[in-house]
Every structure is written in C-alpha cells, then in structure tokens.
Amino acid sequence: MSIDIATAAKVAKLARIKVENHDLPALAEEFNAILGFIEQLEEVDVEGVEPMVSVTPMPLPRREDVVTDGNQPQKVLSNAPDAREGFFSVPKVVE
C-alpha cells in the first residue's frame, strides 16, 4: 500500500492537523515509511510466542480490591462549576 499526497492531506484533515501544501510530500513519505515498517513486522513469525508486558518475565504489581469512601455525590459535585440534578453539567460540544 502506498500513500499519495491526497491521502496524506485527507489523513491530516481527519486528524485536525494543519499541514501546509509544501509539507504534504514529506508527510506522505513518512506514512509510507511507517507502512513499510509494518509490512516488515508482518513477516516475522510469532507462532508460539506468548504475549508479554516486559522483556524480563515478572509478575505485575497488584493492588488490593477494596471499597473506598465513595457514595459522596454532594462532596464530589461541590467542585463542579455547574451541577444539575446530581450530575456534572457541561456545555454541548457536538452539534
């Protein structure tokens, strides 16, 4: 797969990133380099390799699952700039 300048412009628009027209060829090349690296990774045989979180096997630290002092809606909502009917009230952001 190859990314052309038009596709790079579309990706930039979807990501809401302002990219000048003279920078689009470099952006397209960067996308192509990333896709090339992904294609290289797809060639690696990982059959039988278990997923890991670290290069050295170690157990993850766990915390005790305990109930905290919740159930205090009035105390939590006291910091809200606008609270209505027991909820945070926020301005509409999607038309």
Side-chain angles (χ1 to χ4, degrees), residues 12-40:
K13 182 179 178 185
L14 289 173
R16 296 180 184 252
I17 299 171
K18 183 177 180 181
V19 179
E20 300 296 333
N21 286 338
H22 64 275
D23 293 330
L24 285 173
L27 182 62
E29 285 301 316
E30 287 184 44
F31 284 149
N32 285 321
I34 292 169
L35 290 175
F37 182 68
I38 291 171
E39 287 174 359
Q40 275 185 312

Side-chain angles (χ1 to χ4, degrees), residues 41-83:
L41 289 176
E42 288 177 347
E43 295 175 5
V44 176
D45 181 22
V46 293
E47 190 68 34
V49 178
E50 292 187 33
M52 56 186 185
V53 295
S54 174
V55 292
T56 57
M58 64 174 67
L60 292 174
R62 307 246 182 219
R63 65 173 171 82
E64 192 174 327
D65 191 15
V66 295
V67 176
T68 60
D69 61 343
N71 200 18
Q72 300 176 11
Q74 294 307 323
K75 208 172 187 181
V76 171
L77 290 174
S78 67
N79 294 320
D82 187 12

